[in-house]
Amino acid sequence: MKALVFTAPGQVELLDVPEPDPAPGEVLVQVRAAGICGSELHGARRPGFRKPPLIMGHEFAGISAGGEAVVVNPILSCGHCAECGRGLRHVCRNREIIGVHRAGGFAERVAVPASALRPLPPGLPWETAALIEPAANAVHAWNQALGALGTGGAQGARVAVIGCGAIGLLCAATALSGGAGRVEVADLSPARLAAARRLGAEVAGPGLSGQHDVVIDAVGSAATRAASVTHQCPGGVAVWLGLAEEEAGFDANALIRSEKRVLGSFAYRDEEFAHAMAQIQDWDLTWAAGYPLAAAAEVFTGLMNGGLHPLKALLRP
Ligand SMILES: [Zn+2]
Ligand SMILES: [Zn+2]
């Protein structure tokens, strides 16, 4: 079968690879749509958790061996560590992610544990189904904010989102669906800001203005982390889910003097994945574009090197 293989730092190739051989408890999925994630563009440039050769792809949907339309929850947990015991499967000590630690969805077919399959509602477009995983990240980030402010405190909250890539856009949509009073967004790209406006957000421009109850950082650079603290109201909360850099770069004393808060947000709980599936059908997702698998290497390389700018690219094997 054909698969997009990460073969060396900065290099991906469309190759003929052996058919996946499902282990006991695993199921073969015919991939119909698989989103290319920003973390994969970073990961291919500077290999970390992802080690070549690897078929990446953790945001995908398709048809299971049983003929059912499914989306894959790529978070695999051990089920017996302390975090799994506390119901925090997404931060399991022995966590593995399909497409990161084992072959993922940038292929015609992929074998996944049967426990990772989630049935799709009838008639959901494949492109939409492949956006459920990133949307689940957004649901979790919003729930982190709700946890800090309390459900009442978040109703009518002033929310800001830094970065309008797919995750930032989905965070803005989630906040608007989840009771935010207004959502202001910042990004350097006019096209991304236009997509955010179509989702109902107010556009600040390249940087935020004023202060907000919730600031979501979907970039994760030292500069955006600092901005998430600067533009946070006293007693507010910043939720960080961008991973662009390791440095924090924020004013730690402001945390103390104004009782500001910073929370990390990683992946999602199972119920948040289900919530994302239920609400994604209501949103404008026209900023995502599908490409045939034959163009995968070109599309991935173009995004990695900054020469190609669809807001979100989905491979359609
Ligand atoms: Zn992703
Ligand atoms: Zn565990």
Side-chain angles (χ1 to χ4, degrees):
M1 67 164 187
K2 295 268 186 240
L4 182 70
V5 185
F6 168 38
T7 49
Q11 188 177 313
V12 292
E13 297 172 72
L14 189 68
L15 299 177
D16 284 306
V17 301
E19 284 287 338
D21 184 17
E26 293 185 354
V27 176
L28 206 59
V29 174
Q30 304 263 355
V31 180
R32 288 302 165 89
I36 297 177
C37 178
S39 68
E40 294 173 322
L41 304 173
H42 286 289
R45 270 192 304 253
R46 271 168 292 150
F49 296 109
R50 296 171 178 85
K51 308 229 185 305
L54 173 71
I55 301 170
M56 298 196 279
H58 58 268
E59 309 173 354
F60 62 98
I63 297 175
S64 72
E68 196 178 19
V70 293
V71 59
V72 169
N73 179 332
I75 309 286
L76 306 178
S77 51
C78 73
H80 50 70
C81 70
E83 283 66 33
C84 283
R86 288 160 58 213
L88 302 176
R89 194 173 90 67
H90 62 297
V91 286
C92 166
R93 299 288 171 112
N94 308 305
R95 175 182 68 210
E96 290 201 342
I97 301 176
I98 297 170
V100 177
H101 303 94
R102 54 180 282 161
F106 295 163
E108 291 179 284
R109 284 169 287 284
V110 56
V112 303
S115 60
L117 302 183
R118 304 286 181 269
L120 285 168
L124 192 73
W126 290 115
E127 286 92 343
T128 305
L131 291 166
I132 291 170
E133 196 276 349
N137 283 276
V139 170
H140 185 57
W142 180 241
N143 283 343
Q144 293 289 77
L146 294 186
L149 297 179
T151 315
Q155 289 306 310
R158 293 158 298 172
V159 177
V161 178
I162 307 174
C164 295
I167 294 283
L169 290 175
L170 292 164
C171 284
T174 300
L176 286 163
S177 298
R182 60 189 290 270
V183 176
E184 178 180 302
V185 298
D187 197 285
L188 302 175
S189 152
R192 290 172 177 228
L193 291 173
R197 195 180 278 117
R198 289 201 301 277
L199 284 165
E202 292 170 35
V203 167
L208 294 179
S209 64
Q211 288 193 314
H212 309 266
D213 303 308
V214 179
V215 183
I216 297 172
D217 177 15
V219 177
S221 68
T224 59
R225 286 171 181 159
S228 77
V229 174
T230 304
H231 290 281
Q232 180 189 143
C233 295
V237 61
V239 181
W240 288 0
L241 37 46
L243 290 162
E245 294 177 1
E246 288 179 2
E247 287 72 31
F250 68 103
D251 177 358
N253 287 351
L255 246 61
I256 298 167
R257 295 199 180 98
S258 297
E259 293 199 343
K260 294 186 175 184
R261 286 173 284 184
V262 172
L263 288 177
S265 181
F266 185 85
Y268 33 78
R269 294 190 297 268
D270 287 336
E271 61 271 26
E272 292 167 329
F273 197 90
H275 185 74
M277 196 186 310
Q279 71 175 8
I280 197 166
Q281 307 173 50
D282 302 334
W283 297 338
D284 181 321
L285 304 172
T286 51
W287 39 269
Y291 296 87
L293 190 60
E298 197 184 332
V299 169
F300 192 100
T301 306
L303 288 168
M304 186 170 57
N305 298 332
L308 183 75
H309 294 284
L311 217 152
K312 177 76 177 180
L314 305 164
L315 301 178
R316 300 293 317 275

